[in-house]
Amino acid sequence: MRAWHGLDDVPEDWGRSVVTIGVFDGVHQGHQQMVARAVSMAGELGLPSVVVTFDPHPEEVVRPGTHPPRLTTARHRTELLAGLGVDAVCVLPFTLEFSRMSPDEFVQTVLVDRLHAAGVVVGENFRFGHKASGDVETLQTLGEKYDFVAEAVPLVSNGDTISSTLIRERLAAGDMEAVAVALGRPHRVEGVVVRGYQRGRQLGFPTANVESPEFTAIPADGVYAGWLQGVSNGNLPAVYGGHRWPAAISVGTNPTFEGVPRTVEAYALDRDDLDLYGAHVAVDFGRRLRANLRFDSIEALIAQMHADVDEARRLTS
Ligand SMILES: Cc1cc2nc3c(=O)[nH]c(=O)nc-3n(C[C@H](O)[C@H](O)[C@H](O)COP(=O)(O)O)c2cc1C
Ligand SMILES: Nc1ncnc2c1ncn2[C@@H]1O[C@H](COP(=O)(O)OP(=O)(O)O)[C@@H](O)[C@H]1O
């Protein structure tokens, strides 16, 4: 699998290919079906398949301050797309200048001149070019002009249409079962393990405090069952070889204690010997167990944490 950052990374001698385009935040079931169609069309034509995606999120560039919470980091999104069997992932830096291209200019610059598209697969609600003026029909007309077939894939539904917006709503409600169905896997928050208040060890449950990038989609405050694992980042290998521990996760401001900013922290079940500071880790969310509460005593919090850990063990084994 090739990973390209910008059109200049596409090799000079790159031949014809089948391209699918989108933001693909979350790489949810709808995205997965679209990419699968691009891969199958590429197979039919005997050509390689390419995913074209954008970073940062186009909405943030066009309307700053409106960035929707991100379901996947750029790193995780590329990893998930690569896992769908495409030959290349091309991440285009999305700029204001880029956003001002007309549909024709976009098609010519990206799809025709660099990727030599023979086939283009998009979602049926795909919009592109300046002020989102191009749609599937525009793409099909441009396909006749530039010699490619454009195919629109119907949106996937499981009652409601699966969309990044719907997933963000379910996350905000802590409905992790619905989120997992739409994603086809548990929701993940990634980040670096930072120092907290050094209280976890005293309570009997050391927790890795995960500092995630700005705009990360974090589930509703509460206590969850789930998993904690190291992930590789750049050239750094995953801590503990990427081992995946069942975990109890807390999201919130820890109201039992005063003045704590909102944190995501995970206790790897039945371990007290890990050293995760500075490591890049992923927290995968299983079921939400309860709200993050203010306890009258530390003893009451500890007793409840024991019950949470038992429940998390039951749900993850
Ligand atoms: C399973 C679990 C449940 C938790 N539930 C609560 C809670 O209901 N209320 C609360 O104030 N803190 C809760 N916490 C957070 C603890 O207060 C926090 O982990 C502890 O203060 C350690 O913080 P530190 O990592 O900054 O040292 C929970 C943590 C875990 C792992
Ligand atoms: N089972 C475990 N789960 C998570 N972190 C652990 C575990 N055992 C040891 N650790 C280490 O201990 C740290 C958390 O200890 P804690 O007392 O909660 O300190 P802090 O307040 O800095 O988070 C983690 O960052 C990690 O390096």
Side-chain angles (χ1 to χ4, degrees), residues 195-201 203 205 207-209 223-224 248-250 253-257 260 265-267 290-295 301 304-305 308-309:
R195 277 176 199 279
Y197 294 84
Q198 312 289 302
R199 263 192 311 250
R201 258 169 276 239
L203 299 176
F205 302 98
T207 53
N209 294 27
V223 178
Y224 297 80
I249 306 160
S250 164
T253 54
N254 300 351
T256 307
F257 305 91
V260 182
E265 34 184 297
Y267 163 66
R290 63 178 178 88
N292 205 306
L293 302 171
R294 183 175 197 287
F295 287 88
L301 170 61
Q304 180 58 53
M305 286 171 86
D308 297 334
V309 163

Side-chain angles (χ1 to χ4, degrees), residues 193-203 205-209 228 240 245 247 265-278:
V193 177
V194 295
R195 277 176 199 279
Y197 294 84
Q198 312 289 302
R199 263 192 311 250
R201 258 169 276 239
Q202 290 161 32
L203 299 176
F205 302 98
T207 53
N209 294 27
L228 170 68
Y240 293 95
W245 297 283
E265 34 184 297
Y267 163 66
L269 303 187
D270 309 318
R271 301 294 299 250
D272 58 9
D273 55 346
L274 306 178
D275 181 7
L276 298 172
Y277 289 127

Side-chain angles (χ1 to χ4, degrees), residues 5 32 48 69 90 176 179 194 282 309:
H5 284 272
Q32 291 170 30
C90 181
M176 305 316 289
V179 170
V194 295
V309 163

Side-chain angles (χ1 to χ4, degrees), residues 218-240:
I218 294 173
D221 283 10
V223 178
Y224 297 80
W227 296 267
L228 170 68
Q229 82 177 90
V231 286
S232 71
N233 191 28
N235 296 327
L236 290 177
V239 71
Y240 293 95

Side-chain angles (χ1 to χ4, degrees), residues 2-309:
R2 299 157 184 254
W4 299 323
H5 284 272
L7 289 173
D8 290 344
D9 270 4
V10 182
E12 285 290 322
D13 61 353
W14 185 254
R16 298 209 77 181
S17 53
V18 172
V19 183
T20 179
I21 316 164
V23 179
F24 296 114
D25 186 26
V27 194
H28 58 59
Q29 299 268 27
H31 298 142
Q32 291 170 30
Q33 295 209 8
M34 227 172 94
V35 174
R37 176 60 197 132
V39 170
S40 76
M41 189 193 280
E44 288 156 21
L45 299 175
L47 296 174
S49 53
V50 182
V51 176
V52 170
T53 187
F54 309 99
D55 194 40
H57 198 295
E59 275 178 45
E60 178 60 14
V61 175
V62 178
R63 276 174 288 128
T66 62
H67 202 307
R70 259 189 108 131
L71 299 173
T72 39
T73 59
R75 187 208 74 80
H76 189 210
R77 185 180 56 170
T78 298
E79 181 183 288
L80 291 166
L81 291 168
L84 299 176
V86 293
D87 296 292
V89 175
C90 181
V91 182
L92 298 180
F94 199 88
T95 60
L96 263 186
E97 196 191 341
F98 191 91
S99 76
R100 293 196 183 106
M101 279 200 268
S102 68
D104 194 307
E105 262 179 291
F106 172 83
V107 164
Q108 206 183 338
T109 315
V110 178
L111 299 179
V112 179
D113 288 353
R114 299 312 300 248
L115 296 169
H116 312 296
V120 179
V121 176
V122 294
E124 66 182 4
N125 62 346
F126 178 66
R127 310 289 307 203
F128 69 110
H130 190 39
K131 299 205 162 129
S133 54
D135 59 13
V136 169
E137 214 182 308
T138 322
L139 189 68
Q140 278 164 344
T141 307
L142 289 166
E144 284 161 27
K145 177 173 171 186
Y146 291 111
D147 185 30
F148 61 80
V149 284
E151 191 177 302
V153 174
L155 300 179
V156 177
S157 170
N158 62 348
D160 294 313
T161 299
I162 293 178
S163 69
S164 304
T165 306
L166 176 91
I167 296 170
R168 290 186 191 105
E169 279 169 21
R170 295 291 84 215
L171 274 177
D175 183 355
M176 305 316 289
E177 286 91 343
V179 170
V181 167
L183 290 177
R185 59 172 194 282
H187 176 64
R188 168 171 288 195
V189 168
E190 286 186 5
V192 175
V193 177
V194 295
R195 277 176 199 279
Y197 294 84
Q198 312 289 302
R199 263 192 311 250
R201 258 169 276 239
Q202 290 161 32
L203 299 176
F205 302 98
T207 53
N209 294 27
V210 180
E211 194 171 81
S212 53
E214 207 185 357
F215 306 126
T216 298
I218 294 173
D221 283 10
V223 178
Y224 297 80
W227 296 267
L228 170 68
Q229 82 177 90
V231 286
S232 71
N233 191 28
N235 296 327
L236 290 177
V239 71
Y240 293 95
H243 186 83
R244 185 172 162 87
W245 297 283
I249 306 160
S250 164
V251 177
T253 54
N254 300 351
T256 307
F257 305 91
E258 297 299 321
V260 182
R262 190 170 189 233
T263 58
V264 173
E265 34 184 297
Y267 163 66
L269 303 187
D270 309 318
R271 301 294 299 250
D272 58 9
D273 55 346
L274 306 178
D275 181 7
L276 298 172
Y277 289 127
H280 198 89
V281 299
V283 176
D284 288 339
F285 285 79
R287 188 188 304 163
R288 183 171 187 266
L289 306 179
R290 63 178 178 88
N292 205 306
L293 302 171
R294 183 175 197 287
F295 287 88
D296 291 337
S297 70
I298 306 254
E299 291 70 31
L301 170 61
I302 292 174
Q304 180 58 53
M305 286 171 86
H306 277 286
D308 297 334
V309 163

